[in-house]
């Protein structure tokens, strides 16, 4: 994993794309901002993510956890999404229950 920082912030930011770029060790420019592909439609957004991952041999699983301590149940790299301190949805990279 090579950390890649997002380049677009706000409600249509590219933090999730930066997480994928980090995990795949790609430049951010090689990963689309999925809002550009799907807009604000959640179903289309996740479909665009799946379509990007599929040819790379990966998929995505969405889990909703009520207690952040449950993240420690998962080993390895994860993209974890939640509310940032600014109140916006934000994605970050975690490993073995801790944000990295």
């Amino acid at each position: 994993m090579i950390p890649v920082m997002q380049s677009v912030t706000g409600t249509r930011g590219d933090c999730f794309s930066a997480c994928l770029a980090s995990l795949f060790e790609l430049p951010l420019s090689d990963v689309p901002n999925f809002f550009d592909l799907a807009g604000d439609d959640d179903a289309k957004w996740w479909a665009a993510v799946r379509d990007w991952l599929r040819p790379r041999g990966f998929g995505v699983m969405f889990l909703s956890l009520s207690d952040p301590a449950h993240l420690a149940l998962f080993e390895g790299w994860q993209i974890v999404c939640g509310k940032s301190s600014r109140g916006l949805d934000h994605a970050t990279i975690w490993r073995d229950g801790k944000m990295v």
Side-chain angles (χ1 to χ4, degrees), residues 17-89:
S17 300
C19 289
L20 288 174
S22 299
L23 292 174
F24 283 92
E25 299 183 352
L26 297 169
L28 183 56
S29 59
D30 286 359
V31 183
N33 182 335
F34 297 101
F35 287 110
D36 294 340
L37 301 176
D40 294 321
D41 182 313
D42 283 348
K44 288 181 182 177
W45 194 93
W46 284 110
V49 171
R50 284 192 303 276
D51 290 345
W52 188 86
L53 289 169
R54 187 174 298 113
R56 292 160 179 83
F58 289 88
V60 64
M61 181 179 6
F62 179 90
L63 300 172
S64 180
L65 302 174
S66 59
D67 183 349
H70 292 143
L71 291 171
L73 299 173
F74 302 98
E75 296 179 0
W77 300 107
Q78 305 142 30
I79 298 175
V80 176
C81 303
K83 292 290 180 191
S84 72
S85 59
R86 295 183 302 253
L88 300 174
D89 291 332

